[in-house]
Amino acid sequence: MKNRVMIIGGVQAGKSTLMNTLLGKESAANKTQALVYDDWIVDTPGEYIENPMYYRNIMATSLEVTHVIYLQDATSAKSVFPPQFSLGIPKIQIGVITKIDAHNADVERATALLKNVITQGAIVKTSSWQKLGVEFIAPLIELRTNEEIRQYVKDRDSPYLMYYP
Ligand SMILES: Nc1nc2c(ncn2[C@@H]2O[C@H](COP(=O)(O)OP(=O)(O)OP(=O)(O)O)[C@@H](O)[C@H]2O)c(=O)[nH]1
Ligand SMILES: [Mg+2]
């Protein structure tokens, strides 16, 4: 299977904007209504994780990817992921925090929320608007083991990148 990532996260959390940034598309993101497959990314509507009725869609789609991005909006005080949600998806986990540029962003809070969701993996702090941290995501999706990812994070020594635990 070609390396491919599914992005999951809350409504308006910045998933599609991140996908456009990663694929070098400048157009503004519209509301996502269904699964969107583009190159090495699968974008999902925020409703898929906010409404348990859609969990089966997430599970089914996860079979088509090697990696899952668990995305947390830095401006949101809540997590949309049920505790331990990632345990049911045996794929490489990457935590991504979006909107770190926002005046009301709380990156520490977002990091703590993601640590309750993923069991291990890279956590990337990003702003699609200011192009911060986003450059690390594509290389991480190329890596197939947590050990390689841990080493990648260590070698970069970037404030936008950490490895959990
Ligand atoms: N400040 C700031 N706002 C952002 C950033 N990225 C996205 N946004 C804004 O967040 C809002 C939602 O962005 P989307 O990318 O459409 O969010 P989504 O997660 O795809 O939303 P759904 O498709 O509804 O699930 C838009 O108004 C974006 O402009 C960012 O890096 N910084
Ligand atoms: Mg979207």
Side-chain angles (χ1 to χ4, degrees), residues 7 9-21 28-33 43-48 50 71 73 75 98-104 126-131 134:
I7 305 179
V11 171
Q12 294 289 290
K15 299 178 296 297
S16 302
T17 305
L18 178 66
M19 167 152 119
N20 286 346
T21 299
N30 295 317
K31 168 92 205 125
T32 309
Q33 308 279 7
D43 187 19
T44 66
E47 287 76 7
Y48 276 29
E50 293 204 13
L71 184 146
D73 181 342
T75 69
T98 52
K99 310 186 192 180
I100 64 169
D101 63 273
H103 67 91
N104 56 336
T126 73
S127 164
S128 292
W129 285 11
Q130 295 190 353
K131 306 276 186 285
V134 290

Side-chain angles (χ1 to χ4, degrees), residues 78-152:
K78 67 171 176 58
S79 172
V80 295
F81 301 102
Q84 317 284 305
F85 186 76
S86 70
L87 288 181
I89 306 181
K91 300 293 173 174
I92 296 196
Q93 310 168 4
I94 297 176
V96 170
I97 297 167
T98 52
K99 310 186 192 180
I100 64 169
D101 63 273
H103 67 91
N104 56 336
D106 185 336
V107 178
E108 270 187 45
R109 176 183 66 196
T111 306
L113 290 170
L114 274 181
K115 287 177 176 176
N116 288 326
V117 176
I118 66 171
T119 51
Q120 66 174 324
I123 295 179
V124 193
K125 301 163 191 186
T126 73
S127 164
S128 292
W129 285 11
Q130 295 190 353
K131 306 276 186 285
L132 300 171
V134 290
E135 71 272 22
F136 298 118
I137 295 179
L140 286 169
I141 305 304
E142 307 249 303
L143 304 177
R144 286 271 188 149
T145 69
N146 279 315
E147 186 45 39
E148 287 173 295
I149 288 175
R150 199 185 58 73
Q151 192 62 45
Y152 176 86

Side-chain angles (χ1 to χ4, degrees), residues 29-92:
N30 295 317
K31 168 92 205 125
T32 309
Q33 308 279 7
L35 292 170
V36 176
Y37 290 75
D38 197 341
D39 200 350
W40 51 278
I41 304 180
V42 187
D43 187 19
T44 66
E47 287 76 7
Y48 276 29
I49 188 66
E50 293 204 13
N51 185 339
M53 209 167 74
Y54 293 109
Y55 284 177
R56 58 164 56 225
N57 295 60
I58 291 180
M59 303 313 285
T61 309
S62 76
L63 300 176
E64 304 174 40
V65 303
T66 50
H67 296 58
V68 176
I69 285 179
Y70 296 86
L71 184 146
Q72 175 66 46
D73 181 342
T75 69
S76 171
K78 67 171 176 58
S79 172
V80 295
F81 301 102
Q84 317 284 305
F85 186 76
S86 70
L87 288 181
I89 306 181
K91 300 293 173 174
I92 296 196

